[in-house]
Amino acid sequence: QVQLVESGGGSVQAGGSLRLSCVASGYTYSSYCKGWFRQAPGKEREEVARIETDGDTTYADSVKGRFIISLGNAKNTLYLQMNSLQPEDTAVYYCAAVVGGYCDRPFNSWGQGTQVTVSS
């Protein structure tokens, strides 16, 4: 059974930084695509960033230049470095993976989420 566990959320003032981590385990099949999503109260879940095993990255326009997604050396750890945080970044952040495929397939494995709160 695939398991994704996030950590690193918390509260920070506007302009601050946080780094989220996600450790993946239990893969039966390889995952060549991992990503971060977020959901703010009353809003739909949105994709923040994704990364493929070859290092190609994609970012939402709202976080470009502020957030950096990366993989750990063992490829089973995913990071999201969040800089210049703003109150509108407040949300529950979810780690996700495409188990058994690449980024042309839907994300099919999700973590439990970690809260990020940015105060003005």
Side-chain angles (χ1 to χ4, degrees):
Q1 184 175 354
V2 175
Q3 187 174 20
L4 301 174
V5 180
E6 304 100 332
S7 61
S11 297
V12 66
Q13 290 192 326
S17 298
L18 284 173
R19 189 175 84 153
L20 305 182
S21 300
C22 173
V23 177
S25 62
Y27 282 159
T28 300
Y29 302 101
S30 297
S31 169
Y32 303 104
C33 181
K34 297 180 177 66
W36 289 97
F37 290 72
R38 67 185 180 186
Q39 187 167 21
K43 295 187 177 181
E44 292 188 355
R45 184 174 61 195
E46 63 172 346
E47 181 176 328
V48 175
R50 64 172 61 186
I51 184 168
E52 301 188 53
T53 305
D54 63 4
D56 283 350
T57 58
T58 305
Y59 294 93
D61 287 344
S62 58
V63 306
K64 278 181 183 176
R66 299 189 299 124
F67 291 11
I68 301 172
I69 188 171
S70 62
L71 292 169
N73 290 335
K75 305 299 185 194
N76 70 328
T77 304
L78 180 69
Y79 300 103
L80 185 68
Q81 178 66 44
M82 304 186 294
N83 301 318
S84 302
L85 283 161
Q86 299 301 316
E88 53 265 34
D89 295 316
T90 295
V92 177
Y93 283 71
Y94 298 91
C95 170
V98 178
V99 177
Y102 293 85
C103 284
D104 60 341
R105 295 188 178 185
F107 287 89
N108 53 13
S109 183
W110 299 85
Q112 83 288 351
T114 185
Q115 176 71 46
V116 171
T117 303
V118 185
S119 58
S120 58

